[in-house]
Amino acid sequence: MKAIQISHSQELNVIELEKPQAPGQGEILLKLHYVGFCGSDINTFMGRNTMALNPVIPGHEVGAVIEAVGAGVPENLKPGMVVTCNPYTNCGKCASCRNRRVNACQHNETLGVQRNGAMMEYITLPWEKVIPAGTLTPKVCALVEPMSVGFHAVSRAEVTDIDVVMVIGCGMVGMGAIVRAALRGATVIAADIDDEKLALAKKMGATHTINTKTEDAHQRLQEMTDGFGPDVVIEAVGSVPTYQMAINEVAFTGRVACIGYAKSEVSLQTKYFVQKELDIRGSRNALPSDFRAVIHYLENNECPIDTLITKVIKPEEALDTMRWWSENPGKVFRILVEF
């Protein structure tokens, strides 16, 4: 079977692997139809992802169909079902797992990062990691995981209908945060440096937008919030300026949820931590409930799916596509590989 393998030296190859055998006890064999490339994959390709195996088979954004089930798999999981998957592991023993926050397992290994992923024709997974996708198509399923990360950040920030929420970064994860905050009834301010992404953010539920490259973000925020600042800021970029913006602009007694990984150390005015009595919370991966919430949202057919899918490619086109993406980083939402 075909699989895609990438290294940290801008190398990508389509390789041949043996198809997995019949699934064992508690396992499910999936036929992959669509698998998404994400930000961690382009960072691996560019040599910037220190967490990834080298080389690695990428892929943890999955749209698949159940091919076969092993013994001990619950009866509700049947061959022919459209599914996605939870690509994270959890050890069951660390502090996070003990506190039932398995998404933040200390020893997590995400498909396509710390272990080989799903960018291949078939994969076998434990049944607990397979998520039924209802009426969704395999193509749409490949959008579930990245949006669920944004949904989870909104839960971490405890967003309610009386909050003004600023989401910094309108990529796929940021879009997920915008959608979830809007679904909770919050007033959402989307911030990015790309006007096309900001226009899409309005369609996804943002009330206001700010181009932080061409506008005075502080002045705009003060005008939008009657001088208070946003109650919640969700950082979905992972850069020094955006982390600093989050702390500087959030309201007194506000909440900051951090999704992005900054590639270098960030200098922050820690006096604001105390003076504003801030709640600063990390947000990592997603929980099964976040996946279910995204599937429910997508089933309502309110999402502009075609706009979120930048390209659909065949495995043989992956190398040229990754080179193009590395030269046009701001123009990509999701690239799907069709098997």
Side-chain angles (χ1 to χ4, degrees):
M1 66 175 184
K2 290 181 182 179
I4 290 174
Q5 185 181 69
I6 60 177
S7 75
H8 294 214
S9 55
Q10 300 188 39
E11 293 181 1
L12 183 151
N13 296 292
V14 179
I15 62 174
E16 286 290 330
L17 299 175
E18 288 190 16
K19 179 183 174 181
Q21 300 299 311
Q25 177 77 25
E27 292 182 334
I28 293 179
L29 176 63
L30 300 182
K31 170 69 177 74
L32 282 305
H33 286 244
Y34 294 90
V35 183
F37 273 124
C38 80
S40 65
D41 300 324
I42 190 65
N43 282 326
T44 299
F45 181 74
M46 297 297 292
R48 299 191 294 247
N49 189 354
T50 58
M51 294 188 294
L53 295 177
N54 187 20
V56 66
I57 296 171
H60 54 257
E61 302 173 359
V62 167
V65 172
I66 295 178
E67 180 86 359
V69 298
V73 172
E75 292 183 0
N76 66 305
L77 296 169
K78 303 177 184 296
M81 287 183 64
V82 176
V83 296
T84 187
C85 77
N86 181 331
Y88 323 120
T89 63
N90 52 284
C91 68
K93 300 176 182 179
C94 70
S96 300
C97 291
R98 183 178 62 184
N99 292 327
R100 298 184 180 179
R101 288 164 65 177
V102 294
N103 59 295
C105 175
Q106 182 178 352
H107 306 292
N108 168 66
E109 293 183 349
T110 299
L111 282 174
V113 185
Q114 294 95 342
R115 57 183 172 138
N116 281 325
M119 204 160 279
M120 58 183 74
E121 293 183 81
Y122 294 90
I123 192 171
T124 301
L125 293 174
W127 73 261
E128 295 91 342
K129 298 299 182 181
V130 176
I131 302 172
T135 60
L136 299 186
T137 66
K139 187 176 182 180
V140 177
C141 282
L143 302 179
V144 171
E145 191 275 342
M147 292 193 78
S148 72
V149 176
F151 271 48
H152 183 68
V154 171
S155 295
R156 287 285 293 140
E158 299 183 84
V159 170
T160 73
D161 59 341
I162 62 171
D163 287 320
V164 176
V165 179
M166 179 187 187
V167 178
I168 307 175
C170 295
M172 272 296 297
V173 171
M175 289 297 182
I178 289 166
V179 168
R180 190 54 164 163
L183 288 173
R184 290 191 175 198
T187 299
V188 182
I189 302 169
D192 202 280
I193 60 173
D194 188 299
D195 285 330
E196 291 181 19
K197 289 184 176 180
L198 291 171
L200 181 56
K202 292 285 286 263
K203 295 180 181 178
M204 302 289 282
T207 306
H208 308 287
T209 62
I210 300 174
N211 187 318
T212 57
K213 187 176 183 179
T214 61
E215 300 178 82
D216 185 330
H218 175 73
Q219 183 62 35
R220 289 290 313 284
L221 286 168
Q222 291 295 296
E223 293 168 357
M224 293 173 183
T225 63
D226 296 325
F228 291 108
D231 304 288
V232 174
V233 177
I234 296 175
E235 200 289 331
V237 176
S239 72
V240 173
T242 52
Y243 261 83
Q244 292 171 336
M245 179 184 293
I247 299 301
N248 293 344
E249 299 298 344
V250 71
F252 274 64
T253 67
R255 287 101 70 199
V256 177
C258 305
I259 308 174
Y261 281 76
K263 303 300 185 295
S264 59
E265 291 186 1
V266 181
S267 176
L268 298 170
Q269 289 287 350
T270 56
K271 67 178 182 180
Y272 291 149
F273 297 8
V274 178
Q275 289 178 349
K276 293 185 177 184
E277 199 174 54
L278 298 180
D279 289 333
I280 302 172
R281 305 172 183 182
S283 183
R284 185 182 180 191
N285 299 332
L287 288 165
S289 58
D290 301 307
F291 283 85
R292 293 196 301 271
V294 173
I295 290 168
H296 177 70
Y297 162 69
L298 292 172
E299 283 187 308
N300 289 332
N301 296 315
E302 296 177 355
C303 181
I305 299 295
D306 291 340
T307 308
L308 294 176
I309 299 173
T310 306
K311 287 187 175 186
V312 178
I313 64 170
K314 296 295 186 180
E316 293 77 14
E317 301 172 281
L319 176 58
D320 287 342
T321 300
M322 292 296 272
R323 287 172 174 167
W324 170 81
W325 188 6
S326 68
E327 296 169 358
N328 300 275
K331 298 301 180 184
V332 172
F333 280 105
R334 270 306 174 267
I335 295 169
L336 306 185
V337 180
E338 182 180 8
F339 287 94

